[in-house]
PDB file of all heavy atoms in Angstrom:
ATOM      1  N   GLN A 311       9.079  14.066  -0.484  1.00  0.00           N
ATOM      2  CA  GLN A 311      10.295  14.673  -1.228  1.00  0.00           C
ATOM      3  C   GLN A 311      10.095  14.550  -2.792  1.00  0.00           C
ATOM      4  O   GLN A 311      10.898  15.016  -3.443  1.00  0.00           O
ATOM      5  CB  GLN A 311      11.459  13.893  -0.793  1.00  0.00           C
ATOM      6  CG  GLN A 311      11.819  13.843   0.775  1.00  0.00           C
ATOM      7  CD  GLN A 311      12.056  15.294   1.214  1.00  0.00           C
ATOM      8  OE1 GLN A 311      12.850  15.949   0.631  1.00  0.00           O
ATOM      9  NE2 GLN A 311      11.405  15.630   2.239  1.00  0.00           N
ATOM     10  N   THR A 312       9.126  13.727  -3.253  1.00  0.00           N
ATOM     11  CA  THR A 312       9.120  13.364  -4.675  1.00  0.00           C
ATOM     12  C   THR A 312       7.741  13.889  -5.241  1.00  0.00           C
ATOM     13  O   THR A 312       6.758  13.371  -4.786  1.00  0.00           O
ATOM     14  CB  THR A 312       9.233  11.851  -4.767  1.00  0.00           C
ATOM     15  OG1 THR A 312      10.203  11.366  -3.865  1.00  0.00           O
ATOM     16  CG2 THR A 312       9.494  11.458  -6.134  1.00  0.00           C
ATOM     17  N   ASP A 313       7.937  14.769  -6.208  1.00  0.00           N
ATOM     18  CA  ASP A 313       6.700  15.270  -6.822  1.00  0.00           C
ATOM     19  C   ASP A 313       6.136  14.261  -7.940  1.00  0.00           C
ATOM     20  O   ASP A 313       7.047  13.316  -8.274  1.00  0.00           O
ATOM     21  CB  ASP A 313       6.793  16.613  -7.453  1.00  0.00           C
ATOM     22  CG  ASP A 313       7.753  16.814  -8.724  1.00  0.00           C
ATOM     23  OD1 ASP A 313       7.742  15.752  -9.479  1.00  0.00           O
ATOM     24  OD2 ASP A 313       8.396  17.721  -8.923  1.00  0.00           O
ATOM     25  N   LEU A 314       5.082  14.422  -8.389  1.00  0.00           N
ATOM     26  CA  LEU A 314       4.289  13.308  -9.256  1.00  0.00           C
ATOM     27  C   LEU A 314       5.167  13.078 -10.478  1.00  0.00           C
ATOM     28  O   LEU A 314       5.268  11.869 -10.884  1.00  0.00           O
ATOM     29  CB  LEU A 314       2.906  13.620  -9.462  1.00  0.00           C
ATOM     30  CG  LEU A 314       2.110  12.633 -10.126  1.00  0.00           C
ATOM     31  CD1 LEU A 314       2.071  11.328  -9.421  1.00  0.00           C
ATOM     32  CD2 LEU A 314       0.590  13.264 -10.329  1.00  0.00           C
ATOM     33  N   VAL A 315       5.583  14.141 -11.188  1.00  0.00           N
ATOM     34  CA  VAL A 315       6.213  14.002 -12.394  1.00  0.00           C
ATOM     35  C   VAL A 315       7.688  13.141 -12.194  1.00  0.00           C
ATOM     36  O   VAL A 315       7.887  12.278 -13.005  1.00  0.00           O
ATOM     37  CB  VAL A 315       6.458  15.201 -13.074  1.00  0.00           C
ATOM     38  CG1 VAL A 315       7.332  15.071 -14.371  1.00  0.00           C
ATOM     39  CG2 VAL A 315       5.161  15.888 -13.544  1.00  0.00           C
ATOM     40  N   LYS A 316       8.309  13.727 -11.188  1.00  0.00           N
ATOM     41  CA  LYS A 316       9.497  12.906 -11.034  1.00  0.00           C
ATOM     42  C   LYS A 316       9.325  11.558 -10.439  1.00  0.00           C
ATOM     43  O   LYS A 316      10.042  10.546 -11.008  1.00  0.00           O
ATOM     44  CB  LYS A 316      10.366  13.767  -9.868  1.00  0.00           C
ATOM     45  CG  LYS A 316      11.789  13.262  -9.634  1.00  0.00           C
ATOM     46  CD  LYS A 316      12.419  14.055  -8.464  1.00  0.00           C
ATOM     47  CE  LYS A 316      13.546  13.403  -7.903  1.00  0.00           C
ATOM     48  NZ  LYS A 316      13.715  13.594  -6.364  1.00  0.00           N
ATOM     49  N   GLY A 317       8.399  11.363  -9.713  1.00  0.00           N
ATOM     50  CA  GLY A 317       8.141   9.956  -9.239  1.00  0.00           C
ATOM     51  C   GLY A 317       7.677   9.094 -10.318  1.00  0.00           C
ATOM     52  O   GLY A 317       8.126   7.891 -10.270  1.00  0.00           O
ATOM     53  N   MET A 318       6.905   9.632 -11.207  1.00  0.00           N
ATOM     54  CA  MET A 318       6.387   8.930 -12.257  1.00  0.00           C
ATOM     55  C   MET A 318       7.487   8.371 -13.207  1.00  0.00           C
ATOM     56  O   MET A 318       7.567   7.275 -13.732  1.00  0.00           O
ATOM     57  CB  MET A 318       5.389   9.606 -12.973  1.00  0.00           C
ATOM     58  CG  MET A 318       4.318   8.835 -13.794  1.00  0.00           C
ATOM     59  SD  MET A 318       3.407   7.908 -12.604  1.00  0.00           S
ATOM     60  CE  MET A 318       2.335   9.243 -11.802  1.00  0.00           C
ATOM     61  N   GLU A 319       8.492   9.403 -13.448  1.00  0.00           N
ATOM     62  CA  GLU A 319       9.565   8.965 -14.331  1.00  0.00           C
ATOM     63  C   GLU A 319      10.519   7.834 -13.659  1.00  0.00           C
ATOM     64  O   GLU A 319      10.884   6.887 -14.308  1.00  0.00           O
ATOM     65  CB  GLU A 319      10.422  10.267 -14.529  1.00  0.00           C
ATOM     66  CG  GLU A 319       9.807  11.270 -15.328  1.00  0.00           C
ATOM     67  CD  GLU A 319       9.412  10.767 -16.737  1.00  0.00           C
ATOM     68  OE1 GLU A 319      10.345  10.216 -17.401  1.00  0.00           O
ATOM     69  OE2 GLU A 319       8.416  11.006 -17.236  1.00  0.00           O
ATOM     70  N   MET A 320      10.675   7.985 -12.279  1.00  0.00           N
ATOM     71  CA  MET A 320      11.491   6.950 -11.579  1.00  0.00           C
ATOM     72  C   MET A 320      10.809   5.581 -11.641  1.00  0.00           C
ATOM     73  O   MET A 320      11.314   4.530 -11.857  1.00  0.00           O
ATOM     74  CB  MET A 320      11.640   7.302 -10.148  1.00  0.00           C
ATOM     75  CG  MET A 320      12.626   8.563 -10.064  1.00  0.00           C
ATOM     76  SD  MET A 320      13.267   8.946  -8.416  1.00  0.00           S
ATOM     77  CE  MET A 320      11.839   9.107  -7.419  1.00  0.00           C
ATOM     78  N   THR A 321       9.340   5.631 -11.620  1.00  0.00           N
ATOM     79  CA  THR A 321       8.531   4.424 -11.486  1.00  0.00           C
ATOM     80  C   THR A 321       8.689   3.797 -12.948  1.00  0.00           C
ATOM     81  O   THR A 321       8.839   2.464 -13.083  1.00  0.00           O
ATOM     82  CB  THR A 321       7.207   4.771 -11.197  1.00  0.00           C
ATOM     83  OG1 THR A 321       7.138   5.337  -9.925  1.00  0.00           O
ATOM     84  CG2 THR A 321       6.274   3.493 -11.110  1.00  0.00           C
ATOM     85  N   ILE A 322       8.525   4.584 -13.930  1.00  0.00           N
ATOM     86  CA  ILE A 322       8.696   3.957 -15.371  1.00  0.00           C
ATOM     87  C   ILE A 322       9.919   3.451 -15.578  1.00  0.00           C
ATOM     88  O   ILE A 322      10.207   2.348 -16.149  1.00  0.00           O
ATOM     89  CB  ILE A 322       8.269   5.176 -16.432  1.00  0.00           C
ATOM     90  CG1 ILE A 322       6.743   5.583 -16.227  1.00  0.00           C
ATOM     91  CG2 ILE A 322       8.474   4.586 -17.776  1.00  0.00           C
ATOM     92  CD1 ILE A 322       6.344   6.727 -17.101  1.00  0.00           C
ATOM     93  N   ASP A 323      11.101   4.193 -15.207  1.00  0.00           N
ATOM     94  CA  ASP A 323      12.440   3.758 -15.287  1.00  0.00           C
ATOM     95  C   ASP A 323      12.470   2.258 -14.672  1.00  0.00           C
ATOM     96  O   ASP A 323      12.996   1.338 -15.217  1.00  0.00           O
ATOM     97  CB  ASP A 323      13.361   4.510 -14.470  1.00  0.00           C
ATOM     98  CG  ASP A 323      13.746   5.756 -15.194  1.00  0.00           C
ATOM     99  OD1 ASP A 323      13.496   5.747 -16.351  1.00  0.00           O
ATOM    100  OD2 ASP A 323      14.329   6.676 -14.604  1.00  0.00           O
ATOM    101  N   TRP A 324      11.897   2.143 -13.500  1.00  0.00           N
ATOM    102  CA  TRP A 324      12.002   0.812 -12.858  1.00  0.00           C
ATOM    103  C   TRP A 324      11.288  -0.240 -13.541  1.00  0.00           C
ATOM    104  O   TRP A 324      11.849  -1.335 -13.691  1.00  0.00           O
ATOM    105  CB  TRP A 324      11.397   0.972 -11.278  1.00  0.00           C
ATOM    106  CG  TRP A 324      11.627  -0.227 -10.502  1.00  0.00           C
ATOM    107  CD1 TRP A 324      12.858  -0.528  -9.827  1.00  0.00           C
ATOM    108  CD2 TRP A 324      10.844  -1.498 -10.330  1.00  0.00           C
ATOM    109  NE1 TRP A 324      12.725  -1.802  -9.237  1.00  0.00           N
ATOM    110  CE2 TRP A 324      11.507  -2.460  -9.681  1.00  0.00           C
ATOM    111  CE3 TRP A 324       9.654  -1.881 -10.922  1.00  0.00           C
ATOM    112  CZ2 TRP A 324      11.004  -3.666  -9.375  1.00  0.00           C
ATOM    113  CZ3 TRP A 324       9.122  -3.064 -10.607  1.00  0.00           C
ATOM    114  CH2 TRP A 324       9.821  -3.930  -9.806  1.00  0.00           C
ATOM    115  N   TYR A 325      10.006   0.032 -13.989  1.00  0.00           N
ATOM    116  CA  TYR A 325       9.290  -1.025 -14.747  1.00  0.00           C
ATOM    117  C   TYR A 325      10.116  -1.312 -16.055  1.00  0.00           C
ATOM    118  O   TYR A 325      10.106  -2.556 -16.553  1.00  0.00           O
ATOM    119  CB  TYR A 325       7.931  -0.702 -14.895  1.00  0.00           C
ATOM    120  CG  TYR A 325       7.093  -0.874 -13.680  1.00  0.00           C
ATOM    121  CD1 TYR A 325       6.803   0.206 -12.833  1.00  0.00           C
ATOM    122  CD2 TYR A 325       6.703  -2.218 -13.406  1.00  0.00           C
ATOM    123  CE1 TYR A 325       6.155  -0.082 -11.625  1.00  0.00           C
ATOM    124  CE2 TYR A 325       5.880  -2.462 -12.262  1.00  0.00           C
ATOM    125  CZ  TYR A 325       5.735  -1.378 -11.312  1.00  0.00           C
ATOM    126  OH  TYR A 325       5.011  -1.542 -10.152  1.00  0.00           O
ATOM    127  N   LEU A 326      10.785  -0.359 -16.638  1.00  0.00           N
ATOM    128  CA  LEU A 326      11.386  -0.631 -17.920  1.00  0.00           C
ATOM    129  C   LEU A 326      12.625  -1.592 -17.524  1.00  0.00           C
ATOM    130  O   LEU A 326      13.025  -2.472 -18.316  1.00  0.00           O
ATOM    131  CB  LEU A 326      11.857   0.545 -18.625  1.00  0.00           C
ATOM    132  CG  LEU A 326      10.717   1.344 -19.275  1.00  0.00           C
ATOM    133  CD1 LEU A 326      11.258   2.761 -19.786  1.00  0.00           C
ATOM    134  CD2 LEU A 326      10.073   0.514 -20.357  1.00  0.00           C
ATOM    135  N   ASP A 327      13.332  -1.289 -16.542  1.00  0.00           N
ATOM    136  CA  ASP A 327      14.564  -1.986 -16.063  1.00  0.00           C
ATOM    137  C   ASP A 327      14.227  -3.435 -15.628  1.00  0.00           C
ATOM    138  O   ASP A 327      15.079  -4.290 -15.261  1.00  0.00           O
ATOM    139  CB  ASP A 327      15.359  -1.299 -15.066  1.00  0.00           C
ATOM    140  CG  ASP A 327      15.939  -0.055 -15.650  1.00  0.00           C
ATOM    141  OD1 ASP A 327      16.038   0.032 -16.821  1.00  0.00           O
ATOM    142  OD2 ASP A 327      16.475   0.837 -14.834  1.00  0.00           O
ATOM    143  N   ASN A 328      12.899  -3.692 -15.175  1.00  0.00           N
ATOM    144  CA  ASN A 328      12.472  -4.903 -14.449  1.00  0.00           C
ATOM    145  C   ASN A 328      11.363  -5.530 -15.091  1.00  0.00           C
ATOM    146  O   ASN A 328      10.479  -6.035 -14.486  1.00  0.00           O
ATOM    147  CB  ASN A 328      12.159  -4.581 -13.020  1.00  0.00           C
ATOM    148  CG  ASN A 328      13.347  -4.105 -12.193  1.00  0.00           C
ATOM    149  OD1 ASN A 328      14.191  -4.998 -11.743  1.00  0.00           O
ATOM    150  ND2 ASN A 328      13.650  -2.884 -12.130  1.00  0.00           N
ATOM    151  N   GLN A 329      11.553  -5.777 -16.474  1.00  0.00           N
ATOM    152  CA  GLN A 329      10.495  -6.300 -17.214  1.00  0.00           C
ATOM    153  C   GLN A 329      10.334  -7.868 -16.923  1.00  0.00           C
ATOM    154  O   GLN A 329       9.286  -8.424 -17.127  1.00  0.00           O
ATOM    155  CB  GLN A 329      10.610  -6.107 -18.770  1.00  0.00           C
ATOM    156  CG  GLN A 329      10.346  -4.631 -18.975  1.00  0.00           C
ATOM    157  CD  GLN A 329      10.335  -4.302 -20.462  1.00  0.00           C
ATOM    158  OE1 GLN A 329       9.611  -4.837 -21.185  1.00  0.00           O
ATOM    159  NE2 GLN A 329      10.912  -3.251 -20.882  1.00  0.00           N
ATOM    160  N   GLU A 330      11.398  -8.463 -16.443  1.00  0.00           N
ATOM    161  CA  GLU A 330      11.365  -9.862 -16.070  1.00  0.00           C
ATOM    162  C   GLU A 330      10.528  -9.992 -14.840  1.00  0.00           C
ATOM    163  O   GLU A 330       9.643 -10.979 -14.851  1.00  0.00           O
ATOM    164  CB  GLU A 330      12.808 -10.388 -15.812  1.00  0.00           C
ATOM    165  CG  GLU A 330      12.833 -11.799 -15.944  1.00  0.00           C
ATOM    166  CD  GLU A 330      14.314 -12.266 -15.456  1.00  0.00           C
ATOM    167  OE1 GLU A 330      15.306 -11.662 -16.081  1.00  0.00           O
ATOM    168  OE2 GLU A 330      14.549 -13.200 -14.758  1.00  0.00           O
ATOM    169  N   TRP A 331      10.618  -9.197 -13.907  1.00  0.00           N
ATOM    170  CA  TRP A 331       9.679  -9.179 -12.743  1.00  0.00           C
ATOM    171  C   TRP A 331       8.216  -9.018 -12.988  1.00  0.00           C
ATOM    172  O   TRP A 331       7.387  -9.805 -12.722  1.00  0.00           O
ATOM    173  CB  TRP A 331      10.262  -8.009 -11.723  1.00  0.00           C
ATOM    174  CG  TRP A 331       9.339  -7.910 -10.461  1.00  0.00           C
ATOM    175  CD1 TRP A 331       9.695  -8.423  -9.247  1.00  0.00           C
ATOM    176  CD2 TRP A 331       8.148  -7.230 -10.316  1.00  0.00           C
ATOM    177  NE1 TRP A 331       8.694  -8.099  -8.440  1.00  0.00           N
ATOM    178  CE2 TRP A 331       7.745  -7.354  -8.910  1.00  0.00           C
ATOM    179  CE3 TRP A 331       7.295  -6.465 -11.081  1.00  0.00           C
ATOM    180  CZ2 TRP A 331       6.547  -6.734  -8.411  1.00  0.00           C
ATOM    181  CZ3 TRP A 331       6.041  -5.861 -10.632  1.00  0.00           C
ATOM    182  CH2 TRP A 331       5.684  -6.040  -9.276  1.00  0.00           C
ATOM    183  N   LEU A 332       8.023  -8.063 -14.112  1.00  0.00           N
ATOM    184  CA  LEU A 332       6.691  -7.827 -14.446  1.00  0.00           C
ATOM    185  C   LEU A 332       6.163  -9.045 -15.227  1.00  0.00           C
ATOM    186  O   LEU A 332       4.951  -9.511 -14.930  1.00  0.00           O
ATOM    187  CB  LEU A 332       6.647  -6.696 -15.511  1.00  0.00           C
ATOM    188  CG  LEU A 332       5.416  -5.915 -15.757  1.00  0.00           C
ATOM    189  CD1 LEU A 332       4.708  -5.535 -14.523  1.00  0.00           C
ATOM    190  CD2 LEU A 332       5.828  -4.654 -16.664  1.00  0.00           C
ATOM    191  N   ASN A 333       6.971  -9.795 -15.998  1.00  0.00           N
ATOM    192  CA  ASN A 333       6.526 -10.940 -16.830  1.00  0.00           C
ATOM    193  C   ASN A 333       6.190 -12.017 -15.860  1.00  0.00           C
ATOM    194  O   ASN A 333       5.246 -12.836 -16.017  1.00  0.00           O
ATOM    195  CB  ASN A 333       7.399 -11.403 -17.840  1.00  0.00           C
ATOM    196  CG  ASN A 333       7.588 -10.417 -18.945  1.00  0.00           C
ATOM    197  OD1 ASN A 333       6.692  -9.633 -19.240  1.00  0.00           O
ATOM    198  ND2 ASN A 333       8.859 -10.299 -19.682  1.00  0.00           N
ATOM    199  N   GLN A 334       7.080 -12.161 -14.779  1.00  0.00           N
ATOM    200  CA  GLN A 334       6.766 -13.326 -13.787  1.00  0.00           C
ATOM    201  C   GLN A 334       5.546 -13.156 -12.966  1.00  0.00           C
ATOM    202  O   GLN A 334       4.798 -14.061 -12.708  1.00  0.00           O
ATOM    203  CB  GLN A 334       7.989 -13.324 -12.860  1.00  0.00           C
ATOM    204  CG  GLN A 334       9.114 -14.248 -13.456  1.00  0.00           C
ATOM    205  CD  GLN A 334      10.526 -14.094 -12.758  1.00  0.00           C
ATOM    206  OE1 GLN A 334      10.590 -13.426 -11.646  1.00  0.00           O
ATOM    207  NE2 GLN A 334      11.344 -14.936 -13.113  1.00  0.00           N
ATOM    208  N   VAL A 335       5.235 -11.875 -12.573  1.00  0.00           N
ATOM    209  CA  VAL A 335       4.043 -11.645 -11.710  1.00  0.00           C
ATOM    210  C   VAL A 335       2.779 -11.715 -12.458  1.00  0.00           C
ATOM    211  O   VAL A 335       1.680 -12.002 -12.008  1.00  0.00           O
ATOM    212  CB  VAL A 335       4.029 -10.344 -10.897  1.00  0.00           C
ATOM    213  CG1 VAL A 335       5.194 -10.510  -9.917  1.00  0.00           C
ATOM    214  CG2 VAL A 335       4.004  -9.124 -11.775  1.00  0.00           C
ATOM    215  N   ARG A 336       2.873 -11.549 -13.947  1.00  0.00           N
ATOM    216  CA  ARG A 336       1.682 -11.812 -14.742  1.00  0.00           C
ATOM    217  C   ARG A 336       1.554 -13.238 -15.266  1.00  0.00           C
ATOM    218  O   ARG A 336       1.512 -13.450 -16.460  1.00  0.00           O
ATOM    219  CB  ARG A 336       1.777 -10.740 -15.874  1.00  0.00           C
ATOM    220  CG  ARG A 336       1.589  -9.310 -15.515  1.00  0.00           C
ATOM    221  CD  ARG A 336       1.660  -8.417 -16.716  1.00  0.00           C
ATOM    222  NE  ARG A 336       2.889  -8.718 -17.492  1.00  0.00           N
ATOM    223  CZ  ARG A 336       3.253  -8.070 -18.557  1.00  0.00           C
ATOM    224  NH1 ARG A 336       2.498  -7.050 -19.083  1.00  0.00           N
ATOM    225  NH2 ARG A 336       4.334  -8.389 -19.173  1.00  0.00           N
ATOM    226  N   ASP A 337       1.473 -14.003 -14.262  1.00  0.00           N
ATOM    227  CA  ASP A 337       1.467 -15.504 -14.545  1.00  0.00           C
ATOM    228  C   ASP A 337       0.004 -15.994 -14.790  1.00  0.00           C
ATOM    229  O   ASP A 337      -0.750 -14.942 -15.214  1.00  0.00           O
ATOM    230  CB  ASP A 337       2.031 -16.261 -13.336  1.00  0.00           C
ATOM    231  CG  ASP A 337       1.080 -16.026 -12.054  1.00  0.00           C
ATOM    232  OD1 ASP A 337       0.046 -15.265 -12.173  1.00  0.00           O
ATOM    233  OD2 ASP A 337       1.541 -16.452 -10.967  1.00  0.00           O
ATOM    234  N   GLY A 338      -0.131 -17.211 -14.937  1.00  0.00           N
ATOM    235  CA  GLY A 338      -1.537 -17.741 -15.236  1.00  0.00           C
ATOM    236  C   GLY A 338      -2.598 -17.174 -14.386  1.00  0.00           C
ATOM    237  O   GLY A 338      -3.776 -16.777 -15.003  1.00  0.00           O
ATOM    238  N   SER A 339      -2.505 -17.073 -13.111  1.00  0.00           N
ATOM    239  CA  SER A 339      -3.528 -16.635 -12.236  1.00  0.00           C
ATOM    240  C   SER A 339      -3.888 -15.027 -12.555  1.00  0.00           C
ATOM    241  O   SER A 339      -4.909 -14.582 -12.499  1.00  0.00           O
ATOM    242  CB  SER A 339      -3.258 -16.862 -10.865  1.00  0.00           C
ATOM    243  OG  SER A 339      -2.213 -15.981 -10.440  1.00  0.00           O
ATOM    244  N   TYR A 340      -2.876 -14.324 -12.934  1.00  0.00           N
ATOM    245  CA  TYR A 340      -3.016 -13.038 -13.286  1.00  0.00           C
ATOM    246  C   TYR A 340      -3.793 -12.936 -14.530  1.00  0.00           C
ATOM    247  O   TYR A 340      -4.744 -11.995 -14.655  1.00  0.00           O
ATOM    248  CB  TYR A 340      -1.630 -12.187 -13.338  1.00  0.00           C
ATOM    249  CG  TYR A 340      -1.831 -10.672 -13.876  1.00  0.00           C
ATOM    250  CD1 TYR A 340      -2.093  -9.795 -12.952  1.00  0.00           C
ATOM    251  CD2 TYR A 340      -1.676 -10.456 -15.213  1.00  0.00           C
ATOM    252  CE1 TYR A 340      -2.175  -8.400 -13.363  1.00  0.00           C
ATOM    253  CE2 TYR A 340      -1.881  -9.129 -15.472  1.00  0.00           C
ATOM    254  CZ  TYR A 340      -2.139  -8.069 -14.646  1.00  0.00           C
ATOM    255  OH  TYR A 340      -2.310  -6.782 -14.970  1.00  0.00           O
ATOM    256  N   GLN A 341      -3.411 -13.645 -15.499  1.00  0.00           N
ATOM    257  CA  GLN A 341      -4.168 -13.759 -16.823  1.00  0.00           C
ATOM    258  C   GLN A 341      -5.677 -14.064 -16.559  1.00  0.00           C
ATOM    259  O   GLN A 341      -6.588 -13.368 -17.160  1.00  0.00           O
ATOM    260  CB  GLN A 341      -3.624 -14.687 -17.913  1.00  0.00           C
ATOM    261  CG  GLN A 341      -2.171 -14.485 -18.145  1.00  0.00           C
ATOM    262  CD  GLN A 341      -1.816 -13.061 -18.700  1.00  0.00           C
ATOM    263  OE1 GLN A 341      -2.683 -12.405 -19.304  1.00  0.00           O
ATOM    264  NE2 GLN A 341      -0.689 -12.576 -18.460  1.00  0.00           N
ATOM    265  N   LYS A 342      -5.940 -14.881 -15.737  1.00  0.00           N
ATOM    266  CA  LYS A 342      -7.394 -15.353 -15.361  1.00  0.00           C
ATOM    267  C   LYS A 342      -7.987 -13.915 -14.781  1.00  0.00           C
ATOM    268  O   LYS A 342      -9.178 -13.769 -14.959  1.00  0.00           O
ATOM    269  CB  LYS A 342      -7.313 -16.580 -14.403  1.00  0.00           C
ATOM    270  CG  LYS A 342      -8.633 -17.031 -14.165  1.00  0.00           C
ATOM    271  CD  LYS A 342      -8.572 -18.572 -13.634  1.00  0.00           C
ATOM    272  CE  LYS A 342      -9.838 -19.067 -13.224  1.00  0.00           C
ATOM    273  NZ  LYS A 342     -10.307 -18.655 -11.805  1.00  0.00           N
ATOM    274  N   TYR A 343      -7.380 -13.525 -13.743  1.00  0.00           N
ATOM    275  CA  TYR A 343      -7.874 -12.349 -13.021  1.00  0.00           C
ATOM    276  C   TYR A 343      -8.190 -11.296 -14.092  1.00  0.00           C
ATOM    277  O   TYR A 343      -9.282 -10.657 -14.025  1.00  0.00           O
ATOM    278  CB  TYR A 343      -6.909 -11.836 -12.052  1.00  0.00           C
ATOM    279  CG  TYR A 343      -7.170 -10.386 -11.552  1.00  0.00           C
ATOM    280  CD1 TYR A 343      -8.041 -10.023 -10.667  1.00  0.00           C
ATOM    281  CD2 TYR A 343      -6.451  -9.261 -12.231  1.00  0.00           C
ATOM    282  CE1 TYR A 343      -8.470  -8.863 -10.175  1.00  0.00           C
ATOM    283  CE2 TYR A 343      -6.803  -8.022 -11.757  1.00  0.00           C
ATOM    284  CZ  TYR A 343      -7.739  -7.765 -10.885  1.00  0.00           C
ATOM    285  OH  TYR A 343      -8.032  -6.543 -10.360  1.00  0.00           O
TER     286      TYR A 343
END
Side-chain angles (χ1 to χ4, degrees):
Q311 301 299 311
T312 313
D313 71 34
L314 186 55
V315 173
K316 183 176 158 218
M318 209 62 72
E319 291 300 313
M320 294 194 301
T321 304
I322 294 173
D323 282 344
W324 188 86
Y325 282 95
L326 287 175
D327 291 345
N328 290 276
Q329 293 192 45
E330 203 182 310
W331 180 93
L332 200 51
N333 291 335
Q334 276 170 357
V335 299
R336 288 179 311 179
D337 60 7
S339 66
Y340 178 80
Q341 300 305 332
K342 187 161 175 280
Y343 163 80

